Amino acid sequence: MASVEDCERALHALAQRLSSADAATRGKAGFDRTLSCGLTDPDVILAGRLRTGSLTEIRQVSAAEAATAKIRLHMSGDDLLDLVAGELHMASAWASGRVKVQAGVLD
């Protein structure tokens, strides 16, 4: 079972990977959205901000704060680690119900 620290490290690793993309690639993701990631195991909610292809402001938040996020993800901590490591593909995780996404159609 993934710990809170493992999950935070995974999101920071994802943030680093996103920020290392070239400017043209980051420019294609030129939106500004709040993001929450509710983890079932461990029972914690992590949040951040997706802005111009970067993930910043990663922190633990309350359920009330997470409810205001424009993009809300729900999964287990182990699935988060597997997604970030490239061992689980988002499309198949979403299709199988392992990852739930609440977001606007254009997000």
Side-chain angles (χ1 to χ4, degrees):
M1 178 175 78
S3 69
V4 173
E5 292 81 15
D6 293 334
C7 295
E8 287 177 339
R9 276 192 296 273
L11 281 181
H12 283 283
L14 176 61
Q16 178 63 36
R17 195 174 319 144
L18 289 171
S19 68
S20 67
D22 63 77
T25 300
R26 285 196 324 270
K28 291 178 184 176
F31 53 84
D32 184 0
R33 301 284 188 276
T34 51
L35 167 85
S36 71
C37 184
L39 301 170
T40 58
D41 203 7
D43 185 17
V44 68
I45 303 169
L46 299 175
R49 179 172 291 280
L50 286 167
R51 182 182 305 141
T52 317
S54 295
L55 176 60
T56 61
E57 303 172 32
I58 298 168
R59 67 205 182 282
Q60 289 186 39
V61 297
S62 67
E65 186 176 353
T68 65
K70 297 294 184 189
I71 301 171
R72 295 179 302 280
L73 306 173
H74 301 276
M75 67 191 79
S76 73
D78 288 335
D79 285 341
L80 173 63
L81 297 182
D82 289 346
L83 282 167
V84 173
E87 298 169 6
L88 177 62
H89 297 282
M90 183 63 179
S92 62
W94 173 74
S96 68
R98 289 174 65 178
V99 173
K100 294 177 179 62
V101 179
Q102 294 175 284
V105 174
L106 298 177
D107 293 328

